[in-house]
Each structure stands twice: as C-alpha cells, then as structure tokens.
Amino acid sequence: MSNGGACLYLLYYGVTGEWADWSGAVQFVLWGSTLATGLITLGLYRYGVSGSEPVANGIR
C-alpha cells in the first residue's frame, strides 16, 4: 500500500513538472525511484507480501 502511494506521489509530481528546475541527475534518480516503487507495487500485488511460492517441507 505505501509503495503504491509513494509511486503515485512521485508520478504526480514528475508529470506536473515539479522537478523541471532540478538537475538532470536528480530527475534521473526521481524517475528511477518512481519506476522502482511501481515495480515493487506490482510485485506485491501479484505475489503478495508472503509470496506465492510453494511451502518447503510443509513449514511456513
């Protein structure tokens, strides 16, 4: 949930041009963070917090 919120905030501020006056390196890092939080969110949505891998030896 928090990763998704962070992604939305980063995406909103990036798209609205709030970062336009910042250096290219900072913008690169911010867009990278936007992408990373988006991918983390998708992974958590798809696999859940605990994951969907099989349980090894019946132990959780």
Side-chain angles (χ1 to χ4, degrees):
M1 192 77 170
S2 63
N3 286 305
C7 181
L8 290 175
Y9 273 119
L10 288 166
L11 188 61
Y12 172 77
Y13 286 111
V15 169
T16 60
E18 292 294 322
W19 307 336
D21 295 335
W22 296 5
S23 72
V26 172
Q27 289 184 41
F28 179 79
V29 170
L30 289 169
W31 282 114
S33 295
T34 304
L35 178 63
T37 56
L39 291 174
I40 290 168
T41 301
L42 290 175
L44 288 171
Y45 179 76
R46 171 65 175 92
Y47 298 105
V49 176
S50 299
S52 62
E53 295 297 317
V55 177
N57 297 326
I59 301 172
R60 264 203 174 281

mmCIF file of all heavy atoms in Angstrom:
data_model
loop_
_atom_site.group_PDB
_atom_site.id
_atom_site.type_symbol
_atom_site.label_atom_id
_atom_site.label_comp_id
_atom_site.label_asym_id
_atom_site.label_seq_id
_atom_site.Cartn_x
_atom_site.Cartn_y
_atom_site.Cartn_z
ATOM 1 N N MET A 1 0.823 -1.186 0.000
ATOM 2 C CA MET A 1 0.000 0.000 0.000
ATOM 3 C C MET A 1 0.870 1.253 0.000
ATOM 4 O O MET A 1 0.636 2.155 -0.777
ATOM 5 C CB MET A 1 -0.911 -0.075 1.223
ATOM 6 C CG MET A 1 -2.003 0.914 1.212
ATOM 7 S SD MET A 1 -3.266 0.340 0.087
ATOM 8 C CE MET A 1 -4.511 1.479 0.483
ATOM 9 N N SER A 2 1.865 1.292 0.888
ATOM 10 C CA SER A 2 2.691 2.502 0.961
ATOM 11 C C SER A 2 3.556 2.672 -0.280
ATOM 12 O O SER A 2 3.819 3.801 -0.699
ATOM 13 C CB SER A 2 3.560 2.475 2.219
ATOM 14 O OG SER A 2 4.469 1.389 2.182
ATOM 15 N N ASN A 3 4.006 1.563 -0.882
ATOM 16 C CA ASN A 3 4.789 1.674 -2.112
ATOM 17 C C ASN A 3 3.936 2.233 -3.243
ATOM 18 O O ASN A 3 4.401 3.046 -4.040
ATOM 19 C CB ASN A 3 5.347 0.307 -2.520
ATOM 20 C CG ASN A 3 6.484 -0.123 -1.646
ATOM 21 O OD1 ASN A 3 7.460 0.597 -1.509
ATOM 22 N ND2 ASN A 3 6.350 -1.272 -1.020
ATOM 23 N N GLY A 4 2.693 1.806 -3.300
ATOM 24 C CA GLY A 4 1.781 2.320 -4.320
ATOM 25 C C GLY A 4 1.521 3.803 -4.141
ATOM 26 O O GLY A 4 1.486 4.569 -5.105
ATOM 27 N N GLY A 5 1.337 4.231 -2.898
ATOM 28 C CA GLY A 5 1.136 5.655 -2.616
ATOM 29 C C GLY A 5 2.344 6.483 -2.977
ATOM 30 O O GLY A 5 2.229 7.562 -3.569
ATOM 31 N N ALA A 6 3.524 5.971 -2.640
ATOM 32 C CA ALA A 6 4.758 6.676 -2.979
ATOM 33 C C ALA A 6 4.910 6.804 -4.489
ATOM 34 O O ALA A 6 5.294 7.858 -5.009
ATOM 35 C CB ALA A 6 5.960 5.947 -2.386
ATOM 36 N N CYS A 7 4.584 5.736 -5.197
ATOM 37 C CA CYS A 7 4.668 5.755 -6.655
ATOM 38 C C CYS A 7 3.721 6.802 -7.240
ATOM 39 O O CYS A 7 4.102 7.561 -8.138
ATOM 40 C CB CYS A 7 4.351 4.372 -7.207
ATOM 41 S SG CYS A 7 4.458 4.275 -9.006
ATOM 42 N N LEU A 8 2.505 6.847 -6.714
ATOM 43 C CA LEU A 8 1.540 7.833 -7.220
ATOM 44 C C LEU A 8 1.992 9.264 -6.949
ATOM 45 O O LEU A 8 1.861 10.134 -7.813
ATOM 46 C CB LEU A 8 0.161 7.581 -6.603
ATOM 47 C CG LEU A 8 -0.542 6.320 -7.079
ATOM 48 C CD1 LEU A 8 -1.847 6.122 -6.310
ATOM 49 C CD2 LEU A 8 -0.806 6.378 -8.569
ATOM 50 N N TYR A 9 2.517 9.510 -5.754
ATOM 51 C CA TYR A 9 3.031 10.849 -5.446
ATOM 52 C C TYR A 9 4.191 11.225 -6.367
ATOM 53 O O TYR A 9 4.231 12.325 -6.923
ATOM 54 C CB TYR A 9 3.501 10.943 -3.993
ATOM 55 C CG TYR A 9 2.423 11.312 -3.022
ATOM 56 C CD1 TYR A 9 2.078 10.459 -1.986
ATOM 57 C CD2 TYR A 9 1.740 12.524 -3.119
ATOM 58 C CE1 TYR A 9 1.086 10.784 -1.081
ATOM 59 C CE2 TYR A 9 0.748 12.863 -2.224
ATOM 60 C CZ TYR A 9 0.425 11.994 -1.210
ATOM 61 O OH TYR A 9 -0.554 12.329 -0.322
ATOM 62 N N LEU A 10 5.145 10.316 -6.521
ATOM 63 C CA LEU A 10 6.284 10.597 -7.394
ATOM 64 C C LEU A 10 5.826 10.825 -8.832
ATOM 65 O O LEU A 10 6.293 11.750 -9.505
ATOM 66 C CB LEU A 10 7.288 9.440 -7.335
ATOM 67 C CG LEU A 10 8.098 9.318 -6.055
ATOM 68 C CD1 LEU A 10 8.787 7.963 -5.983
ATOM 69 C CD2 LEU A 10 9.117 10.442 -5.953
ATOM 70 N N LEU A 11 4.923 9.988 -9.293
ATOM 71 C CA LEU A 11 4.410 10.120 -10.658
ATOM 72 C C LEU A 11 3.691 11.448 -10.849
ATOM 73 O O LEU A 11 3.900 12.144 -11.847
ATOM 74 C CB LEU A 11 3.476 8.951 -10.974
ATOM 75 C CG LEU A 11 2.994 8.814 -12.408
ATOM 76 C CD1 LEU A 11 4.176 8.617 -13.344
ATOM 77 C CD2 LEU A 11 2.049 7.632 -12.517
ATOM 78 N N TYR A 12 2.868 11.826 -9.887
ATOM 79 C CA TYR A 12 2.133 13.091 -9.982
ATOM 80 C C TYR A 12 3.095 14.277 -10.082
ATOM 81 O O TYR A 12 2.962 15.123 -10.973
ATOM 82 C CB TYR A 12 1.215 13.255 -8.766
ATOM 83 C CG TYR A 12 0.581 14.622 -8.691
ATOM 84 C CD1 TYR A 12 -0.493 14.949 -9.504
ATOM 85 C CD2 TYR A 12 1.089 15.598 -7.835
ATOM 86 C CE1 TYR A 12 -1.065 16.214 -9.458
ATOM 87 C CE2 TYR A 12 0.526 16.852 -7.780
ATOM 88 C CZ TYR A 12 -0.546 17.168 -8.596
ATOM 89 O OH TYR A 12 -1.096 18.422 -8.543
ATOM 90 N N TYR A 13 4.057 14.344 -9.170
ATOM 91 C CA TYR A 13 4.974 15.481 -9.175
ATOM 92 C C TYR A 13 5.893 15.476 -10.392
ATOM 93 O O TYR A 13 6.271 16.536 -10.891
ATOM 94 C CB TYR A 13 5.779 15.539 -7.881
ATOM 95 C CG TYR A 13 4.948 16.022 -6.727
ATOM 96 C CD1 TYR A 13 4.587 15.184 -5.685
ATOM 97 C CD2 TYR A 13 4.473 17.331 -6.690
ATOM 98 C CE1 TYR A 13 3.805 15.636 -4.637
ATOM 99 C CE2 TYR A 13 3.682 17.786 -5.655
ATOM 100 C CZ TYR A 13 3.354 16.937 -4.629
ATOM 101 O OH TYR A 13 2.568 17.384 -3.603
ATOM 102 N N GLY A 14 6.230 14.297 -10.881
ATOM 103 C CA GLY A 14 7.047 14.232 -12.090
ATOM 104 C C GLY A 14 6.292 14.691 -13.321
ATOM 105 O O GLY A 14 6.795 15.480 -14.130
ATOM 106 N N VAL A 15 5.064 14.230 -13.462
ATOM 107 C CA VAL A 15 4.253 14.569 -14.639
ATOM 108 C C VAL A 15 3.851 16.046 -14.636
ATOM 109 O O VAL A 15 3.763 16.671 -15.699
ATOM 110 C CB VAL A 15 3.009 13.646 -14.711
ATOM 111 C CG1 VAL A 15 2.017 14.124 -15.751
ATOM 112 C CG2 VAL A 15 3.437 12.220 -14.989
ATOM 113 N N THR A 16 3.610 16.611 -13.465
ATOM 114 C CA THR A 16 3.196 18.015 -13.404
ATOM 115 C C THR A 16 4.358 18.988 -13.545
ATOM 116 O O THR A 16 4.139 20.195 -13.554
ATOM 117 C CB THR A 16 2.441 18.319 -12.095
ATOM 118 O OG1 THR A 16 3.296 18.043 -10.976
ATOM 119 C CG2 THR A 16 1.160 17.536 -12.010
ATOM 120 N N GLY A 17 5.589 18.474 -13.658
ATOM 121 C CA GLY A 17 6.740 19.337 -13.912
ATOM 122 C C GLY A 17 7.375 19.957 -12.682
ATOM 123 O O GLY A 17 8.159 20.896 -12.799
ATOM 124 N N GLU A 18 7.061 19.430 -11.506
ATOM 125 C CA GLU A 18 7.638 19.974 -10.278
ATOM 126 C C GLU A 18 9.154 19.794 -10.223
ATOM 127 O O GLU A 18 9.841 20.516 -9.512
ATOM 128 C CB GLU A 18 7.000 19.323 -9.044
ATOM 129 C CG GLU A 18 5.554 19.697 -8.852
ATOM 130 C CD GLU A 18 5.359 21.164 -8.524
ATOM 131 O OE1 GLU A 18 6.184 21.735 -7.786
ATOM 132 O OE2 GLU A 18 4.385 21.751 -9.022
ATOM 133 N N TRP A 19 9.677 18.834 -10.959
ATOM 134 C CA TRP A 19 11.108 18.564 -10.942
ATOM 135 C C TRP A 19 11.848 19.267 -12.078
ATOM 136 O O TRP A 19 13.058 19.121 -12.213
ATOM 137 C CB TRP A 19 11.381 17.071 -11.084
ATOM 138 C CG TRP A 19 10.668 16.198 -10.105
ATOM 139 C CD1 TRP A 19 10.198 16.548 -8.869
ATOM 140 C CD2 TRP A 19 10.332 14.829 -10.274
ATOM 141 N NE1 TRP A 19 9.611 15.478 -8.269
ATOM 142 C CE2 TRP A 19 9.666 14.402 -9.103
ATOM 143 C CE3 TRP A 19 10.536 13.917 -11.300
ATOM 144 C CZ2 TRP A 19 9.221 13.101 -8.932
ATOM 145 C CZ3 TRP A 19 10.094 12.613 -11.125
ATOM 146 C CH2 TRP A 19 9.438 12.220 -9.961
ATOM 147 N N ALA A 20 11.148 20.018 -12.893
ATOM 148 C CA ALA A 20 11.731 20.586 -14.119
ATOM 149 C C ALA A 20 12.953 21.459 -13.853
ATOM 150 O O ALA A 20 13.880 21.494 -14.666
ATOM 151 C CB ALA A 20 10.680 21.380 -14.881
ATOM 152 N N ASP A 21 12.988 22.163 -12.745
ATOM 153 C CA ASP A 21 14.108 23.057 -12.447
ATOM 154 C C ASP A 21 15.290 22.338 -11.802
ATOM 155 O O ASP A 21 16.336 22.944 -11.606
ATOM 156 C CB ASP A 21 13.648 24.199 -11.535
ATOM 157 C CG ASP A 21 12.640 25.111 -12.217
ATOM 158 O OD1 ASP A 21 12.643 25.171 -13.460
ATOM 159 O OD2 ASP A 21 11.847 25.748 -11.497
ATOM 160 N N TRP A 22 15.133 21.073 -11.464
ATOM 161 C CA TRP A 22 16.207 20.327 -10.799
ATOM 162 C C TRP A 22 17.160 19.768 -11.846
ATOM 163 O O TRP A 22 16.826 19.629 -13.019
ATOM 164 C CB TRP A 22 15.630 19.222 -9.950
ATOM 165 C CG TRP A 22 14.781 19.725 -8.807
ATOM 166 C CD1 TRP A 22 14.422 21.016 -8.552
ATOM 167 C CD2 TRP A 22 14.172 18.953 -7.785
ATOM 168 N NE1 TRP A 22 13.644 21.084 -7.437
ATOM 169 C CE2 TRP A 22 13.465 19.828 -6.936
ATOM 170 C CE3 TRP A 22 14.137 17.601 -7.496
ATOM 171 C CZ2 TRP A 22 12.770 19.391 -5.822
ATOM 172 C CZ3 TRP A 22 13.437 17.172 -6.391
ATOM 173 C CH2 TRP A 22 12.769 18.059 -5.564
ATOM 174 N N SER A 23 18.349 19.414 -11.428
ATOM 175 C CA SER A 23 19.365 18.920 -12.369
ATOM 176 C C SER A 23 18.925 17.588 -12.983
ATOM 177 O O SER A 23 18.078 16.879 -12.448
ATOM 178 C CB SER A 23 20.700 18.735 -11.649
ATOM 179 O OG SER A 23 20.652 17.607 -10.788
ATOM 180 N N GLY A 24 19.544 17.278 -14.094
ATOM 181 C CA GLY A 24 19.220 16.039 -14.797
ATOM 182 C C GLY A 24 19.494 14.806 -13.955
ATOM 183 O O GLY A 24 18.750 13.827 -14.014
ATOM 184 N N ALA A 25 20.568 14.849 -13.152
ATOM 185 C CA ALA A 25 20.904 13.700 -12.303
ATOM 186 C C ALA A 25 19.820 13.452 -11.265
ATOM 187 O O ALA A 25 19.429 12.311 -11.016
ATOM 188 C CB ALA A 25 22.251 13.929 -11.623
ATOM 189 N N VAL A 26 19.319 14.525 -10.657
ATOM 190 C CA VAL A 26 18.269 14.385 -9.648
ATOM 191 C C VAL A 26 16.991 13.874 -10.306
ATOM 192 O O VAL A 26 16.313 12.986 -9.764
ATOM 193 C CB VAL A 26 18.019 15.721 -8.917
ATOM 194 C CG1 VAL A 26 16.810 15.627 -8.004
ATOM 195 C CG2 VAL A 26 19.255 16.143 -8.142
ATOM 196 N N GLN A 27 16.654 14.390 -11.475
ATOM 197 C CA GLN A 27 15.468 13.918 -12.184
ATOM 198 C C GLN A 27 15.596 12.439 -12.544
ATOM 199 O O GLN A 27 14.625 11.679 -12.435
ATOM 200 C CB GLN A 27 15.236 14.746 -13.446
ATOM 201 C CG GLN A 27 14.780 16.153 -13.158
ATOM 202 C CD GLN A 27 14.471 16.917 -14.426
ATOM 203 O OE1 GLN A 27 13.873 16.366 -15.346
ATOM 204 N NE2 GLN A 27 14.859 18.175 -14.469
ATOM 205 N N PHE A 28 16.783 12.029 -12.926
ATOM 206 C CA PHE A 28 17.037 10.623 -13.247
ATOM 207 C C PHE A 28 16.764 9.739 -12.033
ATOM 208 O O PHE A 28 16.102 8.704 -12.132
ATOM 209 C CB PHE A 28 18.477 10.443 -13.738
ATOM 210 C CG PHE A 28 18.839 9.028 -14.063
ATOM 211 C CD1 PHE A 28 18.446 8.460 -15.260
ATOM 212 C CD2 PHE A 28 19.560 8.269 -13.163
ATOM 213 C CE1 PHE A 28 18.775 7.146 -15.565
ATOM 214 C CE2 PHE A 28 19.892 6.951 -13.445
ATOM 215 C CZ PHE A 28 19.492 6.388 -14.656
ATOM 216 N N VAL A 29 17.267 10.157 -10.881
ATOM 217 C CA VAL A 29 17.060 9.401 -9.643
ATOM 218 C C VAL A 29 15.576 9.358 -9.275
ATOM 219 O O VAL A 29 15.046 8.309 -8.882
ATOM 220 C CB VAL A 29 17.900 9.990 -8.489
ATOM 221 C CG1 VAL A 29 17.509 9.386 -7.156
ATOM 222 C CG2 VAL A 29 19.383 9.789 -8.750
ATOM 223 N N LEU A 30 14.889 10.487 -9.413
ATOM 224 C CA LEU A 30 13.474 10.531 -9.063
ATOM 225 C C LEU A 30 12.635 9.655 -9.991
ATOM 226 O O LEU A 30 11.738 8.942 -9.537
ATOM 227 C CB LEU A 30 12.971 11.975 -9.068
ATOM 228 C CG LEU A 30 13.496 12.826 -7.903
ATOM 229 C CD1 LEU A 30 13.180 14.297 -8.127
ATOM 230 C CD2 LEU A 30 12.925 12.352 -6.592
ATOM 231 N N TRP A 31 12.912 9.694 -11.294
ATOM 232 C CA TRP A 31 12.163 8.831 -12.210
ATOM 233 C C TRP A 31 12.517 7.363 -11.965
ATOM 234 O O TRP A 31 11.663 6.483 -12.087
ATOM 235 C CB TRP A 31 12.409 9.217 -13.665
ATOM 236 C CG TRP A 31 11.635 10.424 -14.074
ATOM 237 C CD1 TRP A 31 12.135 11.648 -14.424
ATOM 238 C CD2 TRP A 31 10.208 10.546 -14.155
ATOM 239 N NE1 TRP A 31 11.107 12.513 -14.718
ATOM 240 C CE2 TRP A 31 9.906 11.860 -14.560
ATOM 241 C CE3 TRP A 31 9.153 9.672 -13.923
ATOM 242 C CZ2 TRP A 31 8.608 12.319 -14.744
ATOM 243 C CZ3 TRP A 31 7.856 10.121 -14.097
ATOM 244 C CH2 TRP A 31 7.596 11.427 -14.505
ATOM 245 N N GLY A 32 13.769 7.095 -11.612
ATOM 246 C CA GLY A 32 14.152 5.730 -11.258
ATOM 247 C C GLY A 32 13.414 5.248 -10.020
ATOM 248 O O GLY A 32 12.977 4.094 -9.938
ATOM 249 N N SER A 33 13.260 6.141 -9.039
ATOM 250 C CA SER A 33 12.506 5.802 -7.830
ATOM 251 C C SER A 33 11.033 5.558 -8.154
ATOM 252 O O SER A 33 10.401 4.667 -7.579
ATOM 253 C CB SER A 33 12.623 6.925 -6.798
ATOM 254 O OG SER A 33 13.949 7.054 -6.367
ATOM 255 N N THR A 34 10.511 6.344 -9.071
ATOM 256 C CA THR A 34 9.119 6.152 -9.494
ATOM 257 C C THR A 34 8.949 4.774 -10.125
ATOM 258 O O THR A 34 8.012 4.043 -9.802
ATOM 259 C CB THR A 34 8.705 7.250 -10.497
ATOM 260 O OG1 THR A 34 8.928 8.526 -9.909
ATOM 261 C CG2 THR A 34 7.248 7.116 -10.905
ATOM 262 N N LEU A 35 9.852 4.418 -11.000
ATOM 263 C CA LEU A 35 9.802 3.115 -11.652
ATOM 264 C C LEU A 35 9.968 1.986 -10.634
ATOM 265 O O LEU A 35 9.218 1.003 -10.655
ATOM 266 C CB LEU A 35 10.884 3.019 -12.730
ATOM 267 C CG LEU A 35 10.987 1.697 -13.467
ATOM 268 C CD1 LEU A 35 9.706 1.416 -14.248
ATOM 269 C CD2 LEU A 35 12.186 1.698 -14.397
ATOM 270 N N ALA A 36 10.931 2.140 -9.728
ATOM 271 C CA ALA A 36 11.190 1.095 -8.732
ATOM 272 C C ALA A 36 9.986 0.882 -7.817
ATOM 273 O O ALA A 36 9.590 -0.268 -7.567
ATOM 274 C CB ALA A 36 12.426 1.449 -7.909
ATOM 275 N N THR A 37 9.400 1.963 -7.327
ATOM 276 C CA THR A 37 8.239 1.800 -6.442
ATOM 277 C C THR A 37 7.046 1.215 -7.206
ATOM 278 O O THR A 37 6.272 0.449 -6.644
ATOM 279 C CB THR A 37 7.831 3.124 -5.758
ATOM 280 O OG1 THR A 37 7.587 4.122 -6.749
ATOM 281 C CG2 THR A 37 8.878 3.592 -4.780
ATOM 282 N N GLY A 38 6.941 1.563 -8.480
ATOM 283 C CA GLY A 38 5.881 0.971 -9.297
ATOM 284 C C GLY A 38 6.074 -0.527 -9.475
ATOM 285 O O GLY A 38 5.124 -1.305 -9.350
ATOM 286 N N LEU A 39 7.306 -0.948 -9.739
ATOM 287 C CA LEU A 39 7.581 -2.375 -9.912
ATOM 288 C C LEU A 39 7.405 -3.144 -8.604
ATOM 289 O O LEU A 39 6.889 -4.265 -8.599
ATOM 290 C CB LEU A 39 8.991 -2.571 -10.468
ATOM 291 C CG LEU A 39 9.195 -2.113 -11.912
ATOM 292 C CD1 LEU A 39 10.668 -2.211 -12.304
ATOM 293 C CD2 LEU A 39 8.327 -2.919 -12.862
ATOM 294 N N ILE A 40 7.829 -2.546 -7.494
ATOM 295 C CA ILE A 40 7.628 -3.182 -6.186
ATOM 296 C C ILE A 40 6.141 -3.351 -5.916
ATOM 297 O O ILE A 40 5.687 -4.413 -5.462
ATOM 298 C CB ILE A 40 8.300 -2.355 -5.073
ATOM 299 C CG1 ILE A 40 9.816 -2.440 -5.193
ATOM 300 C CG2 ILE A 40 7.845 -2.813 -3.690
ATOM 301 C CD1 ILE A 40 10.564 -1.434 -4.333
ATOM 302 N N THR A 41 5.367 -2.317 -6.214
ATOM 303 C CA THR A 41 3.923 -2.380 -6.001
ATOM 304 C C THR A 41 3.297 -3.480 -6.843
ATOM 305 O O THR A 41 2.470 -4.252 -6.355
ATOM 306 C CB THR A 41 3.271 -1.026 -6.331
ATOM 307 O OG1 THR A 41 3.857 -0.024 -5.497
ATOM 308 C CG2 THR A 41 1.775 -1.056 -6.119
ATOM 309 N N LEU A 42 3.687 -3.557 -8.106
ATOM 310 C CA LEU A 42 3.153 -4.612 -8.972
ATOM 311 C C LEU A 42 3.532 -6.000 -8.459
ATOM 312 O O LEU A 42 2.716 -6.921 -8.475
ATOM 313 C CB LEU A 42 3.643 -4.430 -10.406
ATOM 314 C CG LEU A 42 3.071 -3.240 -11.162
ATOM 315 C CD1 LEU A 42 3.745 -3.107 -12.521
ATOM 316 C CD2 LEU A 42 1.569 -3.370 -11.320
ATOM 317 N N GLY A 43 4.770 -6.139 -7.997
ATOM 318 C CA GLY A 43 5.207 -7.423 -7.456
ATOM 319 C C GLY A 43 4.433 -7.808 -6.208
ATOM 320 O O GLY A 43 4.030 -8.968 -6.045
ATOM 321 N N LEU A 44 4.225 -6.848 -5.323
ATOM 322 C CA LEU A 44 3.457 -7.130 -4.106
ATOM 323 C C LEU A 44 2.005 -7.444 -4.438
ATOM 324 O O LEU A 44 1.386 -8.304 -3.807
ATOM 325 C CB LEU A 44 3.535 -5.952 -3.138
ATOM 326 C CG LEU A 44 4.883 -5.759 -2.455
ATOM 327 C CD1 LEU A 44 4.902 -4.436 -1.697
ATOM 328 C CD2 LEU A 44 5.167 -6.912 -1.520
ATOM 329 N N TYR A 45 1.462 -6.767 -5.411
ATOM 330 C CA TYR A 45 0.082 -7.042 -5.830
ATOM 331 C C TYR A 45 -0.031 -8.446 -6.413
ATOM 332 O O TYR A 45 -0.961 -9.188 -6.122
ATOM 333 C CB TYR A 45 -0.378 -5.996 -6.850
ATOM 334 C CG TYR A 45 -1.775 -6.236 -7.349
ATOM 335 C CD1 TYR A 45 -2.874 -5.922 -6.563
ATOM 336 C CD2 TYR A 45 -1.991 -6.794 -8.606
ATOM 337 C CE1 TYR A 45 -4.168 -6.153 -7.006
ATOM 338 C CE2 TYR A 45 -3.281 -7.032 -9.060
ATOM 339 C CZ TYR A 45 -4.360 -6.702 -8.264
ATOM 340 O OH TYR A 45 -5.629 -6.948 -8.717
ATOM 341 N N ARG A 46 0.944 -8.781 -7.244
ATOM 342 C CA ARG A 46 0.912 -10.083 -7.933
ATOM 343 C C ARG A 46 1.193 -11.239 -6.989
ATOM 344 O O ARG A 46 0.510 -12.254 -6.994
ATOM 345 C CB ARG A 46 1.933 -10.072 -9.080
ATOM 346 C CG ARG A 46 2.187 -11.405 -9.756
ATOM 347 C CD ARG A 46 0.949 -11.921 -10.477
ATOM 348 N NE ARG A 46 1.229 -13.129 -11.212
ATOM 349 C CZ ARG A 46 1.067 -14.352 -10.730
ATOM 350 N NH1 ARG A 46 0.647 -14.537 -9.514
ATOM 351 N NH2 ARG A 46 1.326 -15.411 -11.463
ATOM 352 N N TYR A 47 2.230 -11.124 -6.162
ATOM 353 C CA TYR A 47 2.679 -12.240 -5.345
ATOM 354 C C TYR A 47 2.309 -12.115 -3.874
ATOM 355 O O TYR A 47 2.490 -13.053 -3.111
ATOM 356 C CB TYR A 47 4.192 -12.412 -5.473
ATOM 357 C CG TYR A 47 4.601 -12.741 -6.890
ATOM 358 C CD1 TYR A 47 5.203 -11.788 -7.694
ATOM 359 C CD2 TYR A 47 4.352 -13.992 -7.419
ATOM 360 C CE1 TYR A 47 5.559 -12.085 -9.001
ATOM 361 C CE2 TYR A 47 4.705 -14.307 -8.726
ATOM 362 C CZ TYR A 47 5.316 -13.346 -9.510
ATOM 363 O OH TYR A 47 5.663 -13.638 -10.792
ATOM 364 N N GLY A 48 1.851 -10.951 -3.462
ATOM 365 C CA GLY A 48 1.503 -10.753 -2.058
ATOM 366 C C GLY A 48 2.738 -10.543 -1.212
ATOM 367 O O GLY A 48 3.872 -10.728 -1.666
ATOM 368 N N VAL A 49 2.542 -10.166 0.002
ATOM 369 C CA VAL A 49 3.665 -9.894 0.891
ATOM 370 C C VAL A 49 4.427 -11.164 1.207
ATOM 371 O O VAL A 49 5.644 -11.188 1.249
ATOM 372 C CB VAL A 49 3.169 -9.210 2.188
ATOM 373 C CG1 VAL A 49 4.307 -9.011 3.163
ATOM 374 C CG2 VAL A 49 2.512 -7.882 1.859
ATOM 375 N N SER A 50 3.726 -12.260 1.401
ATOM 376 C CA SER A 50 4.377 -13.528 1.732
ATOM 377 C C SER A 50 4.842 -14.285 0.500
ATOM 378 O O SER A 50 5.600 -15.230 0.609
ATOM 379 C CB SER A 50 3.414 -14.425 2.513
ATOM 380 O OG SER A 50 3.038 -13.802 3.707
ATOM 381 N N GLY A 51 4.371 -13.888 -0.655
ATOM 382 C CA GLY A 51 4.717 -14.583 -1.888
ATOM 383 C C GLY A 51 3.783 -15.749 -2.137
ATOM 384 O O GLY A 51 2.991 -16.138 -1.283
ATOM 385 N N SER A 52 3.883 -16.326 -3.307
ATOM 386 C CA SER A 52 3.023 -17.456 -3.665
ATOM 387 C C SER A 52 3.849 -18.681 -4.006
ATOM 388 O O SER A 52 3.378 -19.575 -4.693
ATOM 389 C CB SER A 52 2.120 -17.074 -4.832
ATOM 390 O OG SER A 52 2.902 -16.762 -5.965
ATOM 391 N N GLU A 53 5.083 -18.716 -3.527
ATOM 392 C CA GLU A 53 5.942 -19.874 -3.767
ATOM 393 C C GLU A 53 5.448 -21.058 -2.936
ATOM 394 O O GLU A 53 4.843 -20.862 -1.879
ATOM 395 C CB GLU A 53 7.390 -19.541 -3.406
ATOM 396 C CG GLU A 53 8.002 -18.461 -4.289
ATOM 397 C CD GLU A 53 8.083 -18.899 -5.730
ATOM 398 O OE1 GLU A 53 8.463 -20.044 -5.996
ATOM 399 O OE2 GLU A 53 7.749 -18.084 -6.603
ATOM 400 N N PRO A 54 5.718 -22.264 -3.369
ATOM 401 C CA PRO A 54 5.291 -23.431 -2.595
ATOM 402 C C PRO A 54 5.977 -23.452 -1.223
ATOM 403 O O PRO A 54 7.097 -22.979 -1.076
ATOM 404 C CB PRO A 54 5.729 -24.619 -3.449
ATOM 405 C CG PRO A 54 6.408 -24.092 -4.628
ATOM 406 C CD PRO A 54 6.372 -22.593 -4.588
ATOM 407 N N VAL A 55 5.313 -24.026 -0.261
ATOM 408 C CA VAL A 55 5.861 -24.132 1.086
ATOM 409 C C VAL A 55 6.847 -25.278 1.113
ATOM 410 O O VAL A 55 6.535 -26.392 0.697
ATOM 411 C CB VAL A 55 4.735 -24.360 2.108
ATOM 412 C CG1 VAL A 55 5.293 -24.533 3.493
ATOM 413 C CG2 VAL A 55 3.735 -23.219 2.055
ATOM 414 N N ALA A 56 8.078 -25.026 1.599
ATOM 415 C CA ALA A 56 9.120 -26.052 1.644
ATOM 416 C C ALA A 56 8.906 -26.949 2.859
ATOM 417 O O ALA A 56 8.829 -26.479 3.990
ATOM 418 C CB ALA A 56 10.491 -25.403 1.705
ATOM 419 N N ASN A 57 8.819 -28.242 2.640
ATOM 420 C CA ASN A 57 8.694 -29.238 3.713
ATOM 421 C C ASN A 57 7.516 -28.981 4.651
ATOM 422 O O ASN A 57 7.592 -29.277 5.836
ATOM 423 C CB ASN A 57 9.987 -29.309 4.531
ATOM 424 C CG ASN A 57 11.155 -29.764 3.677
ATOM 425 O OD1 ASN A 57 10.984 -30.570 2.766
ATOM 426 N ND2 ASN A 57 12.321 -29.230 3.937
ATOM 427 N N GLY A 58 6.477 -28.337 4.178
ATOM 428 C CA GLY A 58 5.314 -28.095 4.996
ATOM 429 C C GLY A 58 5.509 -27.049 6.085
ATOM 430 O O GLY A 58 4.656 -26.862 6.937
ATOM 431 N N ILE A 59 6.643 -26.342 6.072
ATOM 432 C CA ILE A 59 6.921 -25.326 7.092
ATOM 433 C C ILE A 59 6.635 -23.962 6.497
ATOM 434 O O ILE A 59 7.078 -23.631 5.415
ATOM 435 C CB ILE A 59 8.389 -25.394 7.563
ATOM 436 C CG1 ILE A 59 8.672 -26.763 8.138
ATOM 437 C CG2 ILE A 59 8.674 -24.297 8.581
ATOM 438 C CD1 ILE A 59 10.130 -26.974 8.454
ATOM 439 N N ARG A 60 5.926 -23.147 7.213
ATOM 440 C CA ARG A 60 5.643 -21.783 6.775
ATOM 441 C C ARG A 60 6.513 -20.816 7.469
ATOM 442 O O ARG A 60 6.797 -20.748 8.540
ATOM 443 C CB ARG A 60 4.189 -21.428 7.037
ATOM 444 C CG ARG A 60 3.374 -21.655 5.820
ATOM 445 C CD ARG A 60 2.108 -20.775 5.926
ATOM 446 N NE ARG A 60 1.326 -20.803 4.770
ATOM 447 C CZ ARG A 60 1.573 -20.110 3.661
ATOM 448 N NH1 ARG A 60 2.609 -19.372 3.535
ATOM 449 N NH2 ARG A 60 0.765 -20.181 2.655
#
